[in-house]
Amino acid sequence: MRGSPGLLGALLAACWVCASPPAVAAKAVRSKTSQGKKKPKKPVCPKPEPCPEPEPCPACAACPECPGPDAGSGDTGQDVVETIDDGSSVGAPETPEVAPAAKPSPAPPAAAPTSAPGDKLEAQGWTRVEGRYGLWREPSSGSDPLAVPYDRVEGHGLLSLRLSYQRGRSFALVASGLLHEAVFWRTQIAPDGSSRVRDRFEGSLREAYLGVFFSSLDVRVGQQRVVWGRSDLFTINDVVNATDLRDPFLAESEALHVPTLLLRADADFDPMQLQFVFAPIFQRSRFDLYGGNWAAVQPSVAGKYRGLVNLMSQLVDTSLENEAAPLFMQTSLPTGADGFAGGLRYNVSGEGIDFALYYHYGFVPTPELTVEPWFSDLLGTLDYSVMTPYDLRGIIDLAQARGAPLKATYVHRHHVGFDLGGTVGSFALKLEGAFDSKAFFYTVDLASYGRPTVQGVASVEYQTGEVGKAVILELWYQRLIDPPDVALIGVATDSLAAGLVARWTFAEHLEVEIRSVVGIKPFGYLARPQLAWKQGGFSVRVGALLVGGSSGTAGDYFSRNQAAYLAVRQAF
Amino acid sequence: MNLRLPLVIAFVVPCLGWAAPSPRQVLDRVLEVDPWGMSGAEVSAKVTLKDGSGKATRELAFNGRSRQYAGNLTKSLLRFSAPADLAGVGFLQNQQAEGDDERFLFLPDLKKSKRIAGKLRSQAFMGTDFSYADLDRRDLRQSEVKALADEAVGKFDCYHLDVTPKGSDAEYARIELWVRKDNFMPLRWHMFDAGGNHMKSLTALEVQRVSGKWFLTKSRMVNLKDSRTTELVLEKVSPRNDIPDEEFTVRTLEKS
């Protein structure tokens, strides 16, 4: 062919441009425009500059000098918002707010990408009001000097608030607190037979820590909660924080552990992570010695001790019982350099498997109890049916002369543990093991025995991907090494128990949940069925706590705690 | 000798065939597009669940960060801010080329994260009508595709594709896609089960170009089985390619 390009030449050239490899296409553009004697717009690179072609060209995207799909509108790359109305939204209800298709219009400037997010301040919290009615039938009526107080009705009001401030990704400040007002109506078997009302107000600082985060290292200092282990019911490796045992099954889950002053450092050596924790100050677990339904002194405790604490409680105003509880026993709390605890966690993940190793040098959560033999013998001779609180003077004088007859001492122990987790199909499988060089077990005579233990937990969780639907089954085993030749409360040489958490949501608002632990050896049970109606952060929950078991088990020991409850909770 | 006609046939006819991308090429371009900002972006999103009558039953809000790695694979971390009972819940997903994706859920009241089974692809994501499979798009990645007749969606010309997922854990037996020709944004999805029943439909209501990248800023998923609807709105989206890899770890997920 000769001469200037006619229609055929233009057609050939256009095809050549569209179908050619990228480099050739770019050259073809330049040669084409140079023939038109106009200085061509140089194809601009890299993305997201506009495509040189006036019309969208499907193969243009393959050209390295074209920006690809971003060139769709063929304009200068300005941000654009386009609504789509295809009139065929299958199955959808009428949505009159959808605008009819419009020409692309410049969008408001999008948030410019920033190299790091700015400051962020968040406040979260919840409030809860709950009423409980005890279902336990008291065996006797009238005044019984050896009867242990029982709270028939409880009312609880709680307010939790958490504030967190984050500066970019490198710094965070977190603080949280909890206000708890509780009122108890006690069917006290007092000498005058009257019922007693007491209340308890607690304001506590929960978390208060500062976090500094680097690319492979996080450091947090302050009062905080550190969770170890993977199991949900039998948390045998969750040993860093002390526990609050005053209301172990109906309290909010986040209130069950006591945040501790800690230095925590997490180092990432992908795929391994190392965590170091150090607590310079001893933090003891919280439990009621006497007075509450979950107190250590229960009807099964030897009568001579029940009579003593009953008499002592009559010296103290009901509203001060909580403050006076520690005075009932002389405790030896670790102080100074003796009070530290620390530990290491090693974690590695890969191929869908998570594995962790734990070591913690800390304190046995419950104290070693020592009762002087002369004191125990003395109490056994007392007739509490005729004694009054003023008769305790002689006993107190004797104790001062001969030395403290009661001691509760916190003792160090070594904890070593591991856990392993993975998924198979829709199931998450977990295995945990732990060895403690010492744990204390008790008799009804308030004697304690410290022994090493080995524990294991196997867990299967059926997952649905939704927070409100899960079924978890756990099996727990404990071996008491070198057991004493006495009957211990709730423990055998080899103990075995099964636990179940089943939670299911219906119609988006109705949640049914059952939590239960069944002791297989020895036999005991604890179950908490619950029905809840939830709407966003608001929920109403009604349920019951069922506790029981064969004689000598923990279920039998705490069987007075059967109760029905109604709780209203609002998260914000 | 008149060579014009043979030259036309030799050059033009093949060119006409080469001008349109193949269905596989179109699908590959769809996979390169990041409709919900899950492949290299920061997003703030709101999800509204509606019942069959159109009444809103639940609203979720979350912030998300994501990055692309190893081809079309992505890592993403979402943090829920609403409703109040989900505030602080975090979700981490790291797609894998072979085998199940890695997923973790962080529960702030328990202060620990849980590994979520990878076989949950067909399950609803946080109670919405979007499944994990819809979000990871593996059914598109591992599929066979053929072209159907082009069709317009609104005023936009679209490729119409018939996609047959081939993965062993595919949620759908067949997916029909309408892909906008100019920017390869999927504007409509129809999902079918093995019996040919139309299970779900996803419709784009609004698309937005931000810093040269297109996003599906408003979309509606309709579950035809129970007439439920989920609307996903990206209220803010910022494309980013510089989010570091350590942002998508369990360590970061547990920072609440």
Side-chain angles (χ1 to χ4, degrees):
Chain A
M1 290 185 294
R2 292 179 294 178
S4 59
L7 174 62
L8 177 60
L11 184 61
L12 283 171
C15 274
W16 184 245
V17 169
C18 288
S20 298
V24 175
K27 286 181 188 168
V29 167
R30 286 195 288 273
S31 63
K32 173 190 169 189
T33 52
S34 67
Q35 288 184 13
K37 294 183 184 150
K38 213 172 179 179
K39 198 75 178 171
K41 258 192 183 172
K42 184 181 176 184
V44 282
C45 293
K47 300 176 184 185
E49 297 301 318
C51 178
E53 292 296 321
E55 294 296 327
C57 174
C60 179
C63 170
E65 296 183 356
C66 291
D70 310 329
S73 297
D75 61 11
T76 58
Q78 198 175 10
D79 290 352
V80 164
V81 178
E82 297 174 353
T83 54
I84 295 141
D85 178 16
D86 65 352
S88 62
S89 298
V90 179
E94 286 290 323
T95 51
E97 66 271 19
V98 175
K103 284 185 182 176
S105 56
T114 54
S115 58
D119 295 357
K120 190 164 74 167
L121 181 65
E122 286 183 334
Q124 296 164 350
W126 51 267
T127 182
R128 174 173 157 163
V129 176
E130 180 179 324
R132 299 179 199 172
Y133 184 82
L135 302 175
W136 182 63
R137 281 190 186 175
E138 292 170 270
S140 62
S141 60
S143 157
D144 180 356
L146 301 183
V148 179
Y150 175 67
D151 294 319
R152 173 68 63 188
V153 178
E154 296 181 28
H156 297 267
L158 297 99
L159 174 65
S160 172
L161 184 62
R162 185 176 192 268
L163 296 172
S164 68
Y165 167 74
Q166 273 183 284
R167 187 168 183 83
R169 298 277 171 211
S170 58
F171 176 80
L173 265 176
V174 175
S176 68
L178 180 67
L179 298 177
H180 184 181
E181 169 70 25
V183 178
F184 307 87
W185 180 71
R186 167 184 296 176
T187 54
Q188 170 73 353
I189 312 299
D192 60 1
S194 60
S195 299
R196 298 165 77 180
V197 176
R198 65 189 174 93
D199 76 312
R200 180 180 76 199
F201 176 78
E202 284 184 359
S204 58
L205 180 66
R206 304 280 299 167
E207 297 169 298
Y209 67 85
L210 176 135
V212 182
F213 310 114
F214 306 94
S215 61
S216 299
L217 177 67
D218 297 342
V219 179
R220 297 173 177 85
V221 179
Q223 193 157 297
Q224 55 192 295
R225 166 87 171 106
V226 174
V227 179
W228 280 5
R230 293 184 206 280
S231 302
D232 295 275
L233 284 171
F234 302 105
T235 54
I236 60 176
N237 281 308
D238 196 2
V239 297
V240 176
N241 294 99
T243 47
D244 191 335
L245 300 171
R246 295 175 297 175
D247 189 9
F249 297 104
L250 294 182
E252 292 282 329
S253 55
E254 61 189 83
L256 291 177
H257 288 84
V258 182
T260 307
L261 183 63
L262 287 170
L263 164 69
R264 169 184 168 180
D266 296 86
D268 199 331
F269 306 101
D270 187 40
M272 302 178 297
Q273 296 86 40
L274 264 181
Q275 182 183 87
F276 169 72
V277 293
F278 176 73
I281 299 172
F282 171 70
Q283 173 69 61
R284 67 180 180 94
S285 292
R286 294 177 189 167
F287 56 92
D288 282 337
L289 172 68
Y290 171 86
N293 289 355
W294 288 103
V297 176
Q298 292 288 322
S300 298
V301 168
K304 57 187 176 184
Y305 296 113
R306 283 186 279 130
L308 174 66
V309 290
N310 274 343
L311 278 179
M312 293 173 70
S313 73
Q314 292 178 46
L315 295 173
V316 180
D317 183 86
T318 314
S319 63
L320 297 176
E321 266 191 21
N322 301 307
E323 286 76 10
L327 298 176
F328 288 178
M329 276 196 152
Q330 294 178 356
T331 58
S332 172
L333 296 181
T335 55
D338 294 331
F340 83 93
L344 271 175
R345 181 178 88 168
Y346 164 82
N347 188 77
V348 62
S349 295
E351 304 296 326
I353 304 285
D354 307 301
F355 175 73
L357 284 172
Y358 306 96
Y359 171 74
H360 188 257
Y361 180 68
F363 290 89
V364 181
T366 53
E368 178 178 23
L369 293 180
T370 309
V371 181
E372 293 295 332
W374 66 263
F375 188 70
S376 176
D377 293 340
L378 173 62
L379 293 182
T381 65
L382 300 178
D383 182 357
Y384 291 103
S385 64
V386 299
M387 284 183 69
T388 68
Y390 306 101
D391 296 327
L392 291 174
R393 176 186 284 280
I395 298 173
I396 294 171
D397 290 342
L398 195 59
Q400 285 178 335
R402 299 187 65 168
L406 303 167
K407 285 181 188 165
T409 310
Y410 287 89
V411 174
H412 267 123
R413 63 93 183 94
H414 297 274
H415 173 94
V416 180
F418 80 93
D419 65 43
L420 184 67
T423 58
V424 175
S426 299
F427 296 90
L429 307 178
K430 301 165 207 171
L431 190 66
E432 277 194 55
F435 167 79
D436 288 280
S437 63
K438 186 164 281 185
F440 285 113
F441 304 95
Y442 306 91
T443 69
V444 294
D445 290 320
L446 296 185
S448 66
Y449 295 85
R451 291 293 188 274
T453 63
V454 173
Q455 298 182 77
V457 177
S459 170
V460 176
E461 177 179 354
Y462 173 67
Q463 296 180 332
T464 63
E466 291 188 51
V467 174
K469 294 180 181 178
V471 180
I472 303 169
L473 186 64
E474 292 187 358
L475 200 63
W476 169 80
Y477 167 77
Q478 177 179 270
R479 169 80 180 184
L480 197 56
I481 297 171
D482 187 23
D485 192 21
V486 293
L488 300 172
I489 299 171
V491 178
T493 301
D494 292 290
S495 302
L496 187 65
L500 171 71
V501 177
R503 183 191 311 121
W504 213 262
T505 303
F506 300 91
E508 294 183 12
H509 298 294
L510 195 64
E511 180 186 272
V512 178
E513 180 183 280
I514 174 106
R515 285 179 176 258
S516 68
V517 173
V518 176
I520 299 168
K521 183 187 175 185
F523 174 72
Y525 63 87
L526 185 142
R528 195 199 76 182
Q530 176 178 280
L531 190 67
W533 184 86
K534 295 184 171 183
Q535 173 78 40
F538 178 78
S539 67
V540 178
R541 307 172 187 182
V542 61
L545 187 65
L546 308 172
V547 188
S550 54
S551 177
T553 62
D556 174 58
Y557 191 79
F558 289 108
S559 60
R560 299 189 312 157
N561 285 282
Q562 302 204 82
Y565 65 90
L566 173 68
V568 177
R569 188 182 192 273
Q570 173 70 58
F572 54 87
Chain B
M1 180 181 179
N2 190 344
L3 296 175
R4 226 178 252 191
L5 186 58
L7 281 172
V8 167
I9 294 170
F11 282 91
V12 173
V13 171
C15 263
L16 291 175
W18 290 341
S22 68
R24 186 77 243 172
Q25 286 177 324
V26 173
L27 191 61
D28 287 343
R29 295 310 305 279
V30 170
L31 289 169
E32 286 175 12
V33 168
D34 181 17
W36 296 296
M38 305 281 278
S39 305
E42 283 185 325
V43 301
S44 291
K46 190 172 75 173
V47 179
T48 305
L49 279 70
K50 297 180 179 177
D51 62 16
S53 65
K55 179 185 167 190
T57 57
R58 188 163 163 85
E59 277 195 5
L60 311 177
F62 63 86
N63 298 311
R65 312 181 93 208
S66 60
R67 70 169 279 146
Q68 199 165 9
Y69 79 108
N72 281 337
L73 299 178
T74 65
K75 299 184 179 187
S76 53
L77 193 151
L78 310 182
R79 186 81 62 188
F80 287 83
S81 55
D85 60 333
L86 280 185
V89 170
F91 175 74
L92 171 68
Q93 174 172 280
N94 293 337
Q95 291 181 349
Q96 306 293 313
E98 302 288 336
D100 297 334
D101 293 340
E102 290 208 327
R103 298 194 187 96
F104 294 88
L105 191 69
F106 173 72
L107 301 172
D109 55 342
L110 299 179
K111 290 217 175 350
K112 68 180 177 185
S113 54
K114 292 188 167 198
R115 182 181 283 273
I116 300 296
K119 294 292 182 201
L120 295 178
R121 291 186 69 242
S122 62
Q123 299 293 330
F125 172 67
M126 302 305 283
T128 69
D129 296 298
F130 285 83
S131 66
Y132 290 94
D134 295 327
L135 298 176
D136 69 20
R137 301 193 295 167
R138 201 193 312 167
D139 286 5
L140 297 184
R141 293 204 306 267
Q142 300 169 357
S143 64
E144 285 179 3
V145 56
K146 62 182 182 185
L148 301 175
D150 292 353
E151 195 176 319
V153 174
K155 56 168 257 183
F156 301 104
D157 291 333
C158 291
Y159 300 109
H160 186 185
L161 302 181
D162 190 321
V163 181
T164 304
K166 289 299 177 190
S168 58
D169 60 346
E171 185 191 2
Y172 309 112
R174 189 169 71 89
I175 301 170
E176 280 187 37
L177 272 182
W178 285 257
V179 180
R180 203 166 128 173
K181 284 190 176 181
D182 56 350
N183 62 11
F184 297 93
M185 282 291 289
L187 298 186
R188 193 194 293 162
W189 311 47
H190 285 179
M191 296 80 147
F192 299 87
D193 64 15
N197 300 307
H198 188 179
M199 295 169 64
K200 296 198 291 192
S201 286
L202 174 62
T203 307
L205 302 176
E206 178 186 278
V207 296
Q208 184 173 346
R209 186 172 68 194
V210 178
S211 301
K213 289 189 74 174
W214 287 92
F215 296 96
L216 206 52
T217 48
K218 200 169 178 185
S219 55
R220 179 189 295 132
M221 178 74 84
V222 178
N223 186 327
L224 295 165
K225 184 180 172 186
D226 52 20
S227 299
R228 257 184 25 157
T229 301
T230 299
E231 285 191 3
L232 172 60
V233 175
L234 302 186
E235 296 180 321
K236 284 183 194 172
V237 57
S238 303
R240 286 189 60 186
N241 294 321
D242 61 343
I243 302 176
D245 215 35
E246 57 259 23
E247 289 289 315
F248 304 97
T249 59
V250 173
R251 181 167 66 98
T252 301
L253 178 67
E254 293 181 349
K255 282 184 208 170
S256 61

